[in-house]
């Protein structure tokens, strides 16, 4: 008979000690937390800014992103954006569609000022 691997024995022992688990999945998750506690730390989430407007580019055929909604009292409204404004540039980069605008806004740090044309 082959000598059992000590790691396998440890895992089996830990699994048996988790007999109170409501399901096999719960037992495996508990075992994983015991064996790899460092892997359980949540990843830091990047802080994101908030402008408070919604755009739509469907009616403007690649000419920009039109503001269709503003959050009352939000940064965009406070900065002077109005419903029906057509955004053609943000931070000096051309904006023809919502797909152009989104990454420009995502890369800006919270509190950053962005110039819109």
């Amino acid at each position: 008979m082959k000598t059992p691997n000590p790691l396998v024995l440890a895992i089996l022992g830990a699994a048996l000690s988790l007999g109170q688990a409501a399901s096999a999945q719960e037992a495996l998750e508990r075992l994983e937390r015991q064996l790899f506690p460092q892997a359980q730390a949540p990843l830091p989430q990047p802080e994101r800014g908030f402008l408070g407007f919604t755009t739509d580019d469907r009616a403007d055929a690649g000419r920009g992103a039109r503001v269709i909604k503003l959050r009352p009292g939000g940064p965009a409204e406070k900065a002077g954006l109005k419903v029906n404004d057509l955004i053609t540039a943000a931070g000096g980069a051309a904006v023809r569609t919502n797909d152009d605008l989104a990454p420009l806004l995502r890369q800006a740090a919270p509190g950053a000022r962005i110039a819109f044309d």
Side-chain angles (χ1 to χ4, degrees), residues 18 25-40:
L18 296 172
Q25 181 64 38
E26 184 180 333
L28 288 172
E29 288 171 0
R30 283 185 184 177
L31 180 58
E32 184 178 29
R33 284 192 299 271
Q34 287 179 358
L35 293 174
F36 307 104
Q38 69 281 8
Q40 303 306 313

Side-chain angles (χ1 to χ4, degrees), residues 2-113:
K2 209 173 179 185
T3 306
N5 182 318
L7 179 59
V8 172
L9 288 176
I11 291 171
L12 288 173
L16 290 173
S17 72
L18 296 172
Q20 310 89 332
S23 70
Q25 181 64 38
E26 184 180 333
L28 288 172
E29 288 171 0
R30 283 185 184 177
L31 180 58
E32 184 178 29
R33 284 192 299 271
Q34 287 179 358
L35 293 174
F36 307 104
Q38 69 281 8
Q40 303 306 313
L43 297 175
Q45 296 296 315
E47 190 175 340
R48 299 181 79 178
F50 170 75
L51 289 171
F53 69 86
T54 303
T55 59
D56 186 353
D57 60 4
R58 292 176 288 184
D60 291 295
R63 294 183 304 137
R66 187 159 309 269
V67 177
I68 61 169
K69 186 176 180 182
L70 286 170
R71 181 166 196 163
E77 184 182 66
K78 288 179 181 178
L81 280 177
K82 306 263 188 257
V83 171
N84 289 323
D85 282 351
L86 183 64
I87 298 172
T88 58
V95 172
R96 290 185 175 78
T97 67
N98 285 345
D99 290 339
D100 296 334
L101 182 59
L104 297 172
L105 299 180
R106 270 195 302 272
Q107 69 188 13
R113 294 183 179 266

